[in-house]
Amino acid sequence: MRKIIALAFAFLASSAAAQTLQDRIAPCLACHGEKGQSETENTPSLGAQQAPYALIQLFMFREKLRLFEPMNEMAKPLTDDDLRTFSDLIAKLPKPAPPADPGDPARMARAQALAQQHRCNTCHNPDFSGKENVPRIANQREDYLARTLAEYKDNSRHGYDGSMADVMAPVTPAQIADLAYFLARVR
């Protein structure tokens, strides 16, 4: 957490003096992954994230409609043009790669059936790449997916609509773990 807060303040201090977009986005990529794949625990990978989705999230952080202090601080000085530029850049990052381990076949099959049962592929696309204002969840960090799905289930994470809370309501903690395991390994 200290690393994130330090990066947020470094971003704020450098954003006014930064000359290039690469300079300005460097603190973001330090946590979220320079090549689009986060290596930071519980921090999402941003690679190939849908630009409209990234734009909405950045706006929500800037306006404190989504609360996470480091992100709120980083987004606070961004203009609407900055938000669009950053979200377009995020969409152009390489998509995250699945782990080398393809996963336990039985667990993968069980979770794939869960994803179909709960119609994850309807909003997030059959390959879980997302679309428009719906995020890419394929090959996202497993720890981040598990935490996020649990937060939707317990209603501590609020999206811009209540869809995910409704979807996650009947899902058990064990099923959440299986879904995160599967989605992180989608090929």
Side-chain angles (χ1 to χ4, degrees), residues 107-141:
R107 190 173 185 194
M108 293 292 285
R110 184 172 62 238
Q112 186 173 18
L114 276 170
Q116 288 174 341
Q117 174 188 347
H118 294 286
R119 300 176 42 136
C120 303
N121 59 344
T122 300
C123 295
H124 295 277
N125 278 341
D127 64 354
F128 307 103
S129 62
K131 57 187 170 190
E132 299 172 15
N133 64 337
V134 178
R136 160 183 270 290
I137 54 177
N139 309 130
Q140 189 56 263
R141 289 184 57 90

Side-chain angles (χ1 to χ4, degrees), residues 71-109:
M71 286 299 302
N72 299 128
E73 287 301 311
M74 292 183 103
K76 185 169 39 176
L78 300 177
T79 67
D80 288 349
D81 286 341
D82 290 336
L83 298 180
R84 280 188 287 279
T85 299
F86 279 31
S87 61
D88 288 344
L89 183 106
I90 286 166
K92 292 175 184 164
L93 290 170
K95 67 181 182 180
D101 165 30
D104 172 64
R107 190 173 185 194
M108 293 292 285

Side-chain angles (χ1 to χ4, degrees), residues 37-77:
Q37 189 153 0
S38 173
E39 293 182 20
T40 306
E41 185 177 346
N42 282 312
T43 301
S45 296
L46 297 182
Q49 198 56 264
Q50 303 299 317
Y53 174 77
L55 176 65
I56 291 166
Q57 296 308 304
L58 288 168
F59 175 82
M60 289 177 69
F61 281 125
R62 185 184 73 186
E63 302 301 317
K64 294 190 176 183
L65 299 170
R66 183 170 172 198
L67 299 176
F68 182 62
E69 185 180 342
M71 286 299 302
N72 299 128
E73 287 301 311
M74 292 183 103
K76 185 169 39 176

